[in-house]
Amino acid sequence: MKQIIVYIGVAAVLSLTACNDSFLERSPQSINDKTFWNTPSDLEAYVNNFYSWLPSGVTSIAVGESDDQVPNGISQYFWGQYTTPTPEASSWCNWSKGAWEPIRLTNYFMTHYKTVVGSEADINKYVGENRFFRALQYAGLMRTFGDLPWVDKELGTDSTELYDAKLKRYEIMDKIIEDFDFAIQWLPEKPAAGRIGKDVARHLKARTCLHEATYYRYHTELGWQDKAERLLKLAADETDAIINSGRYEIYNTGKPEKDYYEMFVMEDKTNLKEAILPVTYLDGKRKHGMSRTLWEANTGFSKDFMEGYLCKDGKPISLSSYYKGDDNMRNETADRDPRLKQTVLTWDFPTRVTVSTNDSTFITEESKFIDQYCYTGYKSIKYFIPTDKAFEANNNTYDGIAYRYAETLLINAEAKAELGTISQADLDKTINVLRDRVGMPHLTTNVGFTDPNWTKWGYELSPLLQEIRRERRSELALQGFRLDDLMRWKADKLIVGKRGKGAYVGDESILFKSYSPDNQKRIRERLTLDDNKWADPMAGTLPSGYQFHADRDYLLPIPPSELELNKKLKQNPKW
C-alpha cells in the first residue's frame, strides 16, 4: 500500500526581495531567525522545501534535444539558433534569479543552522540533506556553464563575494564532492520513506563524477585528462558501495517480454527494490498526466535510435541473421532486444483499452504509426498506460522513480571500462543483470564482434565501451540522460550536419501501401523522404542539418548584463 508522503516546505516564507543583480540576490527575509532556528524539526521543515527539486520520476520527453527523438518542431539548441541573451530573456540559458535561488536558499540554511540545539547526529542529518541539495544544484549549473563562482554562505547586496571571479570547473567539482561526502557521512543508511539517504547521495555523487571524468577525458581542448582517473575511481567506489549493500535489485519476475515495461507503470513502487528513491503519486493528493502527454508528445523516436537495439542473439542488425529489415514495423521490431517493443509502439501493443468493456484497440494499418503527434512512426510507450482512465488529463497515479538502480549499474560498468579495470565479474553484476531481465545474451569483455555501424564519435573507442554506451542508450531511453551523455562524450560529430530520420516509407513498403491512393499522394506531397526512403520530416526546415557549434555550444552563455555588473566574470568561449 502506498504511503502518503507529503513534505510541506517553507516556500511561502522564503520569498526573495529583489535587487538589480540576478546572481545571488538577497536571502529570505520573512523567517524570524530569532524564533525559527531552535530544533532539528525546524531544520527538517526548512529542507522539506527542497524536495520539489528532485526529478518527478515519470519520464522526460525533452529528448528532442538529442539524437534519440525527432520533434515536430525545430530543436533551437541543435539548430544553433541560440544567441547571447538579453536581460529580459536570460532565463533560457539558466543564469537567472530562479536558477541561482536554490544556492541562496541552501546557503541561508548554512548561515543559520548552528543555533539549533540537539544531538550532532540529529542536526547533521539535515545539514547533510541541505548540502546534498546544494551539490545537486551546483552540479546542474556546472554542466550548463562550466566554470562558476562558488558561494557557500549567505550574501547581502553589499557582499564583496558577489563580484568574485569564477573558479575552474574542476575546482567547483571538488566543492561539490565535499558536499556529497558530508551528506554520505551523516545521512541515514535507511531513511524514512520518501527522504534521501546515504545511497541517494552516493548515486548522485557517482553520476556527477562519471559525467565530469568523461567530460575531461573527451574534451581534450581543456587539457584536463589527468583529472579523469580520480573521478572515475570515485564513481566506481560509490556504485560498488550501493551494489554491495544488497538493498537493491533489478525488477525481474521472469517475464522478459513484459518486466521492463511493467516496472515503469507499476502503480505502487514503495517496495520496488530497483527504486533507490521512488516518487509517490496519490489520488486526491498528487497526480500526473504522463500517459496522455506521451500520446500527444509531438515527437517520435529517430531511425538512428531504433537501429541501436541489438537483435535477440546479442548481435547488431548489421551482423545478425535475425534482422528482417525495415520495410514494415513488424519486421523491424521482430527478434530484437525485448526492450525495443517495451519502449516503442508496435502492432501488438494496445493504443487504447476500455476497462468497462474489456475492449482493446490496436493499430491494424501501418499508416497509423505516423500521425500528427509523431512524424517518424516510432511513438513511445515507456511510462504509457493505454486505459481510458489513464488517458484522462492529469489523472495518473502510478509512482515515479527519481533515481534507479539500473543507472547505478551502468555507471559502475562505464567507470570501470574507462579505467581499464573492468572484469567479466563486473559485467555479470551490472550490464548482464539488466540483460537477464529481458532474456538477452550476456556481454563479454571481448564483445565478440565488430559492428561496422558502431557510432563514429570522432575518436577511437574500445568495442566494450561502444557496447556499454549502446546499453545505456537502450536501458535509459526517454529518461532525460541522452543530451548530457552527448555533451560529456563530446559527440558533436553525431549532431553537426545531421537530422533525425523516421520510418521507411518507400513505394514498396507496407507502410506506404497501407495508405489509400489519395493518401499516398498526400503523403508524398507532405512527408519528405531521404535518398533511402526514410521519413525525413525536418528536411525542409533543416536542409543542412543541425548547426550545433562545436566550439561554443557545449556551454551556454552568461547574460551580458551580469558581465557588466561583475567585471571579473568572463564570458564562455565564442559567445
Side-chain angles (χ1 to χ4, degrees), residues 106-135:
T106 52
N107 285 341
Y108 190 80
F109 177 105
M110 297 304 295
T111 300
H112 295 281
Y113 84 90
K114 293 181 181 178
T115 62
V116 169
V117 177
S119 71
E120 183 181 37
D122 287 343
I123 292 172
N124 280 346
K125 177 171 64 173
Y126 297 113
V127 179
E129 286 195 21
N130 186 76
R131 292 186 68 170
F132 166 85
F133 284 112
R134 183 171 67 183

Side-chain angles (χ1 to χ4, degrees), residues 249-256 259 263 272 274 433-439:
E249 61 185 41
I250 294 302
Y251 178 73
N252 186 348
T253 70
K255 298 184 294 183
D259 280 340
M263 186 266 295
L272 177 65
E274 189 165 339
V433 176
L434 299 176
R435 291 193 173 191
D436 285 342
R437 168 170 37 206
V438 292

